[in-house]
Amino acid sequence: MSTYNVVVIGSGPGGYIAAIRCAQLGMKVAIIEKYDVLGGTCTNVGCIPSKALLDASEHYHNAEKRFADFGINTTGLNVDFTRMVARKSEIVKQTNDGIAFLMKKNKIDVYTGVGSFVTKNKIAITNAKGEKQEIETEKTIIATGSKPTALPFLPIDKKRIITSTEALTLTEIPKQLVIIGGGIIGLELGSVYHRLGAKVTIVEFLDKIAASMDDDLGKELMRLLKKSGMEFMLSTKVKGAAIKGEEVTVTAENKNGETVEIKGDYCLVAVGRVPYTEGLGLENIGIALDERKRISVNDHLETAVPGIFAIGDVIRGAMLAHKAEEEGALAAEYIAGQKPHINYNLIPGVCYTWPEAASVGASEQDLKTQGKAYKVGKFPFRALGRSRASGDIDGFIKVLADKETDEILGVHMIGARAADLIIEGVVAMEYRASAEDISRMSHPHPTYTEGFKEACLMATDNRPLNM
Ligand code: FAD
Ligand code: NAD
């Protein structure tokens, strides 16, 4: 029987990064993955395929709606959806192969099958044919991720009523897509199909969309998406759905208590994700789940059973690939005797709509709840030369700073390339910069980054230079 220092169960961004970091630190490592491709949700049915379709549909949208303004005329423009989806699959495959290469390079043994605890130090692996083998390990990192949440009253048939997984592999562009949930998945995948010509209606239980972000971002994003033709039904509670032939009828209750029906040819259920621990055999080693089906861990990500760690979507915190990665590295370094640390407040969140929305640190609503005195600097992209040149004038950058010390407490932005721009906020906050510190740093002209400097000038002393 093979024996390892560390076995990682699950090969998503948490698991494969944990495995690599363990190997870098000199441990003998194995990774177990249920599917015959590596990369988990993120690579196969999450971040990568969704961004491939977002970028593809955005190119089409620009060609259809914006190119003429730049003096570029297109005739006979149309979408080859089969090719668009095939390209997405090619990118997923390249990423799968890249991770397999990294496993080889780092001398990590890969086992295909469901990993299940027999004892604390013995793990059984059962492959798709039902064949079983066992390996031994000193320590284990559980990185089994999450799966889409289903609504108990709304069965998902995976054909007409679908989750994000099916929405990434459709064979046709929906005519009318009803999306339940105005969170990040609903907004991103809604954008994809809206740009490709579908009528998209988002039905959201709360009175706002993108509820995990600063309220100003959700408001601005909804305004812009509405302007582009997407429809929103807020404060509306979905009660059920029925399929008849190719038509889905979603029944919901609006804020006035009235029953409303929304019809479409597809209904995407995007109401969150739930940790995935089926088949792990946690009961064999005495690990219980909390009320939200998560594995409980301490600050070192160790479970109640010493030597068994858990990371990523299967534990508390934001369900994000980069959060899972940081935790993978932390678990490995802690096992190696180091003293790693994650600043969870500085894990950025991004919504890859267009414009993109991105956040780090405290939101205004957080600061109000904390009773913290703060200053706001909010600079619109339209005042930047770069934005006018590119035509991407929507959105703003908002900097929240401590009223007394001027330390930056939160950065929230919606606009072109916010997904990449947010890192300046992360770096500033990691080094505990004041808004004035940033406002005294040279930002290249013309770039969108100047918006960050201007928002900092406004937060520190209300003295923008270009507005
Ligand atoms: P996962 O990626 O879920 O990987 C877990 C792996 O464990 C899976 O491969 C699973 O098959 C395997 N597994 C489970 N049980 C067993 C077992 N018993 N034995 C063996 N293997 C097992 N996050 C971002 O940060 N940015 C994005 O742009 C983004 N976009 C997303 C888009 C969509 C549509 C979705 C659904 C999610 C998106 N996410 C995004 C979230 C991101 O995918 C997750 O946060 C991330 O994948 C979590 O990583 P993980 O390693 O914890 O688990
Ligand atoms: P979410 O939690 O972001 O949003 C779900 C939304 O559904 C919420 O706004 C909720 O109020 C609403 N909802 C719940 N029940 C409802 C009902 N009965 N009727 C109407 N609305 C209802 O979840 P998600 O969008 O499914 O995403 C799942 C996870 O994946 C999130 O944690 C997200 O961060 C992650 N993810 C991240 C990215 C990214 O980083 N760009 C992209 C996709 C997914």
Side-chain angles (χ1 to χ4, degrees), residues 43-44 48-49 88-97:
T43 299
N44 295 292
I48 302 300
K88 172 224 63 173
S89 303
E90 286 160 18
I91 291 156
V92 168
K93 168 90 171 54
Q94 285 163 17
T95 315
N96 295 142
D97 293 348

Side-chain angles (χ1 to χ4, degrees), residues 16-29:
Y16 88 79
I17 291 295
I20 292 173
R21 191 71 190 111
C22 285
Q24 285 176 343
L25 291 163
M27 300 172 218
K28 189 180 177 208
V29 188

Side-chain angles (χ1 to χ4, degrees), residues 157-162 172 243 245-246 248 265-267:
D157 75 337
K158 297 193 178 182
K159 291 189 179 76
R160 293 285 154 187
I161 302 181
I162 59 177
E172 61 175 359
I243 306 170
E246 293 188 348
V248 187
D265 49 346
Y266 289 90
C267 168

Side-chain angles (χ1 to χ4, degrees), residues 9-15 32-35 37 39-48 50-51 113-116 143-146 164 168 185 188-189 273 276 278-280 311-314 318-322 324 350 352:
I9 309 180
S11 72
I32 308 172
E33 171 54 54
K34 183 166 84 168
Y35 294 112
V37 286
T41 302
C42 174
T43 299
N44 295 292
V45 291
C47 326
I48 302 300
S50 61
K51 265 79 264 179
V114 174
S116 183
T144 49
S146 62
S164 55
L168 293 166
I185 291 186
E188 289 187 358
L189 293 178
R273 294 179 61 85
Y276 185 79
E278 277 156 43
L280 257 182
I311 60 172
D313 280 12
V314 81
M319 288 184 165
L320 295 172
H322 43 287
V350 175
Y352 293 81

